[in-house]
Amino acid sequence: MKKAICIFLVLMSSSGLFAQNVNMDSGIVVKVTIHKDYRIGLLEKVQFDMAKTASRYTSGYRLFVLKSNNREYAMKVRSYLLQNFPEEKVIMTYQAPFIKMKFGDFEDKSEAERIRNLILKGGVVTGNVYIVPDTIELKPERKAKDEQ
């Protein structure tokens, strides 16, 4: 019985080897039609947009201006920064019980140092202002300058 099964399996597997008969005729022209799924185009667009967005961010510096639990004082510092430096942005976060404030997007440490000195001369911030490395967003005019 085992011999019969083995012979049967060998015959069945060997017949599959001759299933495709290839004729090597060089005169035959083969036409291939590709049907593209529309979702591939959507995926390309999403990947392009993600790459474009990712190029807006780089490593740089921000100023750590404030860590306080006094909301009125934090708002006073925030308004001072926005009035005197309207081109920079203020990032406020709340981690109970403190309000933390970071300021600006600086590519160069020297630029951050210059703004730090101006803030300290203003006298609104009573503590020290620290320069911290962070991921910053490139401003559109700077990005346009870099591409040219």
Side-chain angles (χ1 to χ4, degrees):
M1 183 70 174
K2 285 185 182 181
K3 279 186 178 182
I5 293 175
C6 288
I7 292 172
F8 178 74
L9 289 175
V10 168
L11 289 175
M12 291 304 287
S13 64
S14 65
S15 66
L17 295 176
F18 301 107
Q20 294 180 357
N21 192 4
V22 179
N23 188 2
M24 296 298 206
D25 188 11
S26 62
I28 298 176
V29 177
V30 179
K31 183 178 178 184
V32 178
T33 304
I34 299 174
H35 297 282
K36 182 180 171 185
D37 191 356
Y38 74 95
R39 294 177 290 180
I40 292 175
L42 295 175
L43 182 61
E44 290 172 351
K45 184 180 181 315
V46 167
Q47 286 183 335
F48 177 76
D49 291 342
M50 285 175 54
K52 189 176 176 183
T53 302
S55 68
R56 289 181 18 202
Y57 296 97
T58 186
S59 59
Y61 300 95
R62 287 203 170 119
L63 298 176
F64 188 80
V65 178
L66 178 70
K67 180 179 179 182
S68 174
N69 57 1
N70 187 347
R71 185 176 173 1
E72 292 80 26
Y73 175 64
M75 293 314 255
K76 179 180 174 186
V77 171
R78 180 178 182 270
S79 64
Y80 168 79
L81 292 174
L82 289 174
Q83 287 173 358
N84 291 310
F85 307 100
E87 68 278 357
E88 299 295 340
K89 66 179 183 178
V90 177
I91 301 160
M92 291 180 65
T93 56
Y94 179 73
Q95 288 181 336
F98 295 107
I99 297 171
K100 295 180 180 180
M101 189 180 303
K102 289 183 181 179
F103 175 72
D105 287 329
F106 306 107
E107 291 183 69
D108 301 328
K109 198 170 187 177
S110 60
E111 183 183 358
E113 185 71 36
R114 183 179 64 80
I115 299 294
R116 178 186 171 272
N117 292 335
L118 290 174
I119 292 171
L120 290 174
K121 284 180 185 175
V124 173
V125 179
T126 57
N128 203 354
V129 177
Y130 301 100
I131 299 173
V132 293
D134 205 349
T135 301
I136 63 168
E137 183 177 0
L138 290 176
K139 295 183 175 85
E141 61 272 2
R142 283 188 196 163
K143 189 175 178 185
K145 233 189 287 182
D146 292 342
E147 289 175 357
Q148 291 177 356

